[in-house]
Each structure stands twice: as structure tokens, then as C-alpha cells.
Amino acid sequence: MSRSSTADRDANTRSWLARAAFAFAAAAAAVPIVFAGLRGTLGLLLVGIGGVVVTVAALYWFLIRRRVIRWIALSVMIIAPIVVLVLFIRAHLLWVVLLAYALALLALICARAALRREDSQTHMREYPASAPKHPFLIMNPHSGGGKVAKFDLQRKAQELGAEVVLLEGPGTVDVVAVARQAVARGADLLGVAGGDGTQALVAGIAAEHDLPFLVISAGTRNHFAMDLGLDRTDPSTSLDALRDGVELRIDLGTINGRPFVNNASFGVYAEVVRSPAYRADKTATVLQMLPDLLAGETGSQLIARIGDTTIDRPQAVLVSNNPYGNSDLAGLSRRDRLDRGVLGVVTLSVANTRQAIGLLRRTRNRGLTQWTADAVVIDAHTPEIPVGVDGESLLLQTPVECSIRPGALRIRVPRIRPGVRPSAPVLDWIRLRDSARRFRNPAESQPDN
């Protein structure tokens, strides 16, 4: 089968999926009208939307208040959906709501399948790579609950010819200095088995000397490894890249000159994790600190400059090395590519209940917003602000400057690996309409005999 006929068949499949999405959406809209009438449909919408608004408002008050008002808000947040459900049942319309919801869900599934991008758009380009002669690996035996020992990573790496250094102390080990010394001794590949913060520091040295970098998924969460398509359940599979690997060329973020591979968070999250009480009791610390932080009574008052746009006093800012998927409300799913050459930026600005409810419809300059930019500057009226960089809490001097270094990092990955699951596409009805109209007859693309 020729490439053109395969492409035509794929385009036709997308076209039929787009048409199915519109059909299911129309059915979802028609079901309430047919079985409940226009008046009943209006009632369903008012009750449903009212329940959502009350729940969101109660959640916001639960976060910004303390003592009795907080627990009243929690009660309202729990009771509101129950009241909506009871009203639907008493009106004998619950089955109508469930049927409409199921049809809407099918429309969403078909729409996303029709809009899903081609593999060439979501997969990073691979380059051939020869086996390193003097690989040097840094391993943290305490990271990820002891994965280095659990998966016998040191022995397996040494059998593949790697020099291994364990971060056992005493005291804090300067991984940057250790990596620089390895380069001076002739290392032709650097790698880390540990958390993303350590990965970033050593990756910066690899990029500085144009050396390949090996990520071993031995941390706790391994977000970087996930976005590289590595196996997070068995970090020893990452070592396969030493004998049968390929190379990816990805971007590297910098924040005040320090490299980062995932993201840097400012505002509420950075302030909370900076608290000494956070590690002992995360939930209680968050609930205790949030009211003052959201009200702006404590913490730094931020100013975010994103290209030509300035956002005053956002409660939270997340700057990432390449943008996260933006199909969900938080915009923090995963990154299907790390080579787009831009920073992703998410800002949250909620000063009152009305703006909290406004998150449901999302505006461009307030509420929850998403951007891409080459550079971002976060300023404040204090000389230093707390920042969470790749999961590590730091104090950085203001203004904090974030930038992107396109293609700066050579990543060595196994040829055979799980791969990156593409993030869900943005629901674009214009694209969906164009896809529904597009249909090609495979017979027309066959060459004449």
C-alpha cells in the first residue's frame, strides 16, 4: 500500500470521526428538548449550571476562610451536587441528563480522535548514536525510596563499562563539581539516576560541553523521564541506551542562569513548600497558609512579564521547559515534545469569588491563562522570592529571568522504549468542521496502469 493511499485512508477515518462527533453533539442537545421540552430543558440547564457555580464558589470560600466559615463552605460544597441530583430524580429527568451526558462524552471522544495530530507532529526526531567509550553516571542511592539498590543499577551500569559515583556524603555532594571533574578526565557521556533537580544540574554540564546525557528513571516522580518516553517502572531499562541507543536533541530551560528540565513554580505553591511545617503535615500546612496567600496578606506580590504582556499580582505562575498539554483546566498534563524552542507559561489570578467562578469560562488576561514565550521575567517588591525549581525549593534574587535554550541538550535514550503518549488535543470546532468536510476517494489516488 502506497503512502498516499494510507494518508487518504487516515484522513477519511478522521473525517468520519469528526462527523460522528457532530452527530453525537447534536443528539446530546436534542435529547433534553425531545423528552423534557424547551421549558424542561431550560430548567435542567439552570439547575445544573447553578449547582456547578455554587460548588465552585463554596470550594473557593473553603480555601480562603478559616474556622466555622470554612466548614460551612465545605458542607455547601458537598450538599450542592446532592441537591441537584435530588431535583433531577424528583422531576423524573435523571435518565435524560445521563443520556445527554453519555452522548456528549461520545462526541468529545470522537472529536479528540479526529483532531489528534500525526505522529510526525508529536514525536521528537531521533538521531543515530554510537556507544560511549567512557560513560560517567551519578547515582543517588536515597532517591525514589532506594531504587538504585532495588534495581541493582550500580552493578548493571558498571558491567556496561560505566564509571559510577554514589551520592553518599558525608554532607551535601556538589554534583556540578563531580560532573565537571568527570568531563576533565575524559567522560564522553554524563548520566544521573536520581531526582529531576539533580538531573537538571548535571544536564547543564552536559549541554555546556556538548556531551550526550542519560536519564535513569530512579527518582520519585520521574516527570522528565516520562516526557522522554522512558520506562518509569524499571529504571534499569534506561541503561540499554549505553549499548543500543539513539539521540534526541531537546531544549533546556534556564532560570537566573540555573538549568531546569521540567518547570519553575512561583507564588502560592512555592511559598507553601518553603514552609518548614510542610513536610510534617502537607494538608494542614496548605489549609493554614492558603487564606493569607490567596488574599495577598503574606507572600510576595508578583509581577509576571510574558513577552509584551504584564500580569500584576498573579497568585501562581508556572514556567515550563516547553508547554504542557492544554486540554484540561489546569494545563498540567504532560509535554509530548521537548524541542519546540519555547517556554510554556500558566498563570492563576483569583482575587474574589466572581473570578473563581470565572475560571469555568477562562479569560485571556485573568483567571487561568496559558502562554508560550521565549523569555519570562518574574519580579516582586522583595529582593528574593521562593521558587520551586524541578521540585526543589530555592530562594532566587529578583527579577527572576527564565529563558529557553533550543536544542541545547543531547539526550541518549534506548532505541526500544515505551514512548510518549500524546496529550489530548485542544477541542477546536473550526478544525473539526473542516475535517468533517474533507473526504478523499482512495481509488482516485491509485496510479493508472
Side-chain angles (χ1 to χ4, degrees), residues 340-352:
R340 300 186 189 277
V342 292
L343 296 169
V345 188
V346 179
T347 68
L348 176 66
S349 305
V350 181
N352 51 51

Side-chain angles (χ1 to χ4, degrees), residues 17 21 102-116 427:
L17 285 169
L103 290 169
L105 182 61
L106 288 172
L108 179 63
I109 293 172
C110 290
R112 285 187 168 175
L115 294 172
R116 194 169 296 281
L427 191 56

Side-chain angles (χ1 to χ4, degrees), residues 23 25 126 242 285 301 327 345:
E126 297 180 357
L242 295 177
T285 304
Q301 304 300 311
S327 58
V345 188

Side-chain angles (χ1 to χ4, degrees), residues 245-415:
V246 294
E247 191 166 289
L248 308 176
R249 295 181 185 171
I250 70 169
D251 309 329
L252 187 64
T254 62
I255 177 167
N256 278 13
R258 175 192 175 105
F260 69 91
V261 293
N262 292 331
N263 56 59
S265 58
F266 305 80
V268 171
Y269 174 76
E271 296 279 359
V272 169
V273 299
R274 186 76 179 169
S275 170
Y278 180 73
R279 291 187 180 276
D281 193 338
K282 292 180 174 60
T283 302
T285 304
V286 169
L287 292 177
Q288 177 63 29
M289 295 181 66
L290 269 183
D292 293 336
L293 289 171
L294 292 175
E297 296 176 3
T298 61
S300 304
Q301 304 300 311
L302 303 178
I303 302 171
R305 298 186 181 92
I306 308 166
D308 297 329
T309 302
T310 299
I311 300 179
D312 292 321
R313 301 182 66 180
Q315 274 91 355
V317 180
L318 183 90
V319 180
S320 59
N321 174 16
N322 282 261
Y324 286 91
N326 58 1
S327 58
D328 59 295
L329 182 63
L332 301 177
S333 51
R334 63 179 67 214
R335 301 164 294 174
D336 51 23
R337 295 191 69 145
L338 297 174
D339 60 352
R340 300 186 189 277
V342 292
L343 296 169
V345 188
V346 179
T347 68
L348 176 66
S349 305
V350 181
N352 51 51
T353 306
R354 180 175 60 84
Q355 290 182 1
I357 295 171
L359 291 175
L360 297 172
R361 54 186 176 84
R362 299 180 65 179
T363 59
R364 183 60 176 163
N365 292 315
R366 301 300 296 175
L368 186 68
T369 66
Q370 294 174 289
W371 315 75
T372 57
D374 298 326
V376 178
V377 176
I378 309 296
D379 209 347
H381 299 297
T382 54
E384 292 181 325
I385 57 174
V387 186
V389 181
D390 285 337
E392 297 187 8
S393 181
L394 306 173
L395 273 176
L396 298 181
Q397 290 186 340
T398 56
V400 179
E401 299 180 354
C402 303
S403 60
I404 191 85
R405 297 172 57 192
L409 185 58
R410 299 165 54 193
I411 292 286
R412 188 68 56 88
V413 295
R415 188 181 306 277

Side-chain angles (χ1 to χ4, degrees), residues 412-428:
R412 188 68 56 88
V413 295
R415 188 181 306 277
I416 300 174
R417 58 193 187 280
V420 179
R421 179 169 61 86
S423 57
V426 179
L427 191 56
D428 185 335

Side-chain angles (χ1 to χ4, degrees), residues 2 443-449:
S2 67
E444 294 177 356
S445 62
Q446 296 295 326
D448 295 333
N449 292 328

